[in-house]
Amino acid sequence: AGGRTGGRSGSAVSTGARAVAIGAVAAACSSGMSTSSSMPRHPSASSPAASGSVSNATVVALHALPGLGPKALVGAGGRTLYLFEGDKNGKPSCLGACATAWPPDLEAAAPQARSGVNPALLGTVHRSDGTTQVTYNGHPLYYFQGDMNPGAGHGQGVNAFGADWYVVGANGSKIGSS
């Protein structure tokens, strides 16, 4: 099932890129992978963080993503942040294989806002596995494993794990929804 681009023509997410993104999600679903991954669950984490001692706070910034209109939230290393429409009442529901394909933005210290990001909208929520996830405007934030480069938005509009995924704007709403 392909995703939507919000009705915008000329989207930077090509059919091939979308196929790669969906393929990555499908591979995660069908591989029987556990929630651990070769990609750090908190992409800004250094080696000590991978061993469980994250000391640097996530920095949330804004970055223009080609073809998606307004600037979107990015986290560690300029990687695009997404919201999952399957999350209800601010509670993360992306677990197991879902969290492998869409790693949550995990945090050990209070997240920090860069210019244009409203610090009042930044927060955290506790996940069922005991970790703490960054939120924005009440939406738990995730990365997409198919985004290999900073500023990539291959997960935009993808329908996976029972709901749609969208990049997040400065106002805390999804970008590119129809």
Side-chain angles (χ1 to χ4, degrees):
R4 299 185 306 255
T5 60
R8 295 175 187 253
S9 60
S11 172
V13 179
S14 68
T15 303
R18 187 166 306 280
V20 168
I22 292 171
V25 170
C29 291
S30 64
S31 69
M33 294 172 65
S34 68
T35 57
S36 64
S37 168
S38 59
M39 182 165 95
R41 301 258 326 219
H42 185 282
S44 67
S46 61
S47 299
S51 65
S53 61
V54 178
S55 60
N56 296 327
T58 291
V59 174
V60 178
L62 288 174
H63 183 75
L65 300 179
L68 290 179
K71 290 184 176 182
L73 295 183
V74 296
R79 294 196 54 223
T80 305
L81 290 165
Y82 296 86
L83 65 80
F84 179 46
E85 289 192 318
D87 290 340
K88 301 295 180 205
N89 301 317
K91 301 285 183 190
S93 63
C94 180
L95 307 166
C98 178
T100 298
W102 300 88
D105 184 9
L106 300 179
E107 187 53 72
Q112 298 181 11
R114 290 285 190 242
S115 179
V117 175
N118 185 343
L121 297 180
L122 274 175
T124 59
V125 65
H126 294 287
R127 295 175 55 82
S128 62
D129 64 3
T131 58
T132 302
Q133 185 170 358
V134 176
T135 63
Y136 195 72
N137 196 29
H139 300 288
L141 299 177
Y142 302 87
Y143 295 99
F144 178 50
Q145 195 168 30
D147 288 346
M148 299 301 187
N149 299 312
H154 300 301
Q156 172 67 0
V158 169
N159 181 287
F161 299 99
D164 292 330
W165 295 84
Y166 291 99
V167 296
V168 184
N171 65 358
S173 296
K174 59 189 176 183
I175 295 176
S177 60
S178 52

